[in-house]
């Protein structure tokens, strides 16, 4: 019996993991940083970002929420990638051990853009009310 393509011991899974590690390192993040002499990369926040798997530090700066009137696009059958009211932002990443520079750049962007003042807080009112009841 063949292994499921999603099983950790399957050939498909191992190939996908190898590709993701490569794209998160020399084939993607590290390669871009070195080839373009950059300190930090800025990418759109996305559910399929290989930087986390490669172990690079990252910071996400929220930009807002998707429009309420768009259809959902799924990254996997159970994970909405883009859709109504789905948060989005900018992902700042750099090579390992460059966390101080990453913090400087992300903080400078956040202060200059004043995004924190433009993003409206969204919450599920039922969940919010339950939390208030619990902690009151």
């Amino acid at each position: 019996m063949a292994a499921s393509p999603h099983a950790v011991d399957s050939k498909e899974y191992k190939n996908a993991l190898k590709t993701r590690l490569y794209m998160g390192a020399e084939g993607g993040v590290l390669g871009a940083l070195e080839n373009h002499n950059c300190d930090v990369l800025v990418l759109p926040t996305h559910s399929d970002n290989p930087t986390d798997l490669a172990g690079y530090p990252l910071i996400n700066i929220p930009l807002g929420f998707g429009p309420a009137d768009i259809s959902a696009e799924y990254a996997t059958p159970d994970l909405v990638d883009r859709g109504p009211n789905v948060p989005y932002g900018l992902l700042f990443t750099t090579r390992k051990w460059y966390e101080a520079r990453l913090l400087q750049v992300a903080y400078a962007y956040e202060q200059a853009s004043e995004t924190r003042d433009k993003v409206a807080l969204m919450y599920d009112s039922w969940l919010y009310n339950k939390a208030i009841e619990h902690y009151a």
Side-chain angles (χ1 to χ4, degrees), residues 17-31 33 41 49-56 93-96:
L17 181 59
K18 185 177 177 181
T19 299
R20 193 167 161 88
L21 284 170
Y22 175 76
M23 291 308 296
E26 65 271 6
V29 174
L30 188 57
L33 290 167
L41 289 180
N49 190 307
T51 57
D52 55 345
L53 191 60
Y56 292 106
T93 189
T94 190
R95 55 185 59 83
K96 294 176 184 177

Side-chain angles (χ1 to χ4, degrees), residues 1 7 14-15 34 49 54 73 82 96 102 104 112 133:
M1 182 162 145
K14 289 177 182 178
N15 286 339
E34 290 178 354
N49 190 307
E73 295 176 23
R82 292 176 190 89
K96 294 176 184 177
L102 180 64
Q104 290 172 336
E133 288 172 16

Side-chain angles (χ1 to χ4, degrees), residues 79-116:
L79 178 63
V80 175
D81 190 30
R82 292 176 190 89
N85 301 319
V86 171
Y88 64 93
L90 289 177
L91 180 123
F92 292 72
T93 189
T94 190
R95 55 185 59 83
K96 294 176 184 177
W97 314 116
Y98 277 68
E99 287 87 348
R101 184 66 177 143
L102 180 64
L103 288 167
Q104 290 172 336
V105 172
Y107 179 76
Y109 172 81
E110 193 269 342
Q111 293 296 304
S113 70
E114 298 180 349
T115 301
R116 68 194 173 284

Side-chain angles (χ1 to χ4, degrees), residues 21-79:
L21 284 170
Y22 175 76
M23 291 308 296
E26 65 271 6
V29 174
L30 188 57
L33 290 167
E34 290 178 354
N35 291 335
H36 299 285
N37 196 27
C38 297
D39 288 337
V40 174
L41 289 180
V42 180
L43 309 162
T45 299
H46 195 270
S47 64
D48 189 28
N49 190 307
T51 57
D52 55 345
L53 191 60
Y56 292 106
L58 54 91
I59 296 175
N60 182 50
I61 304 289
L63 292 178
F65 297 89
D69 60 348
I70 63 173
S71 298
E73 295 176 23
Y74 291 85
T76 68
D78 298 325
L79 178 63

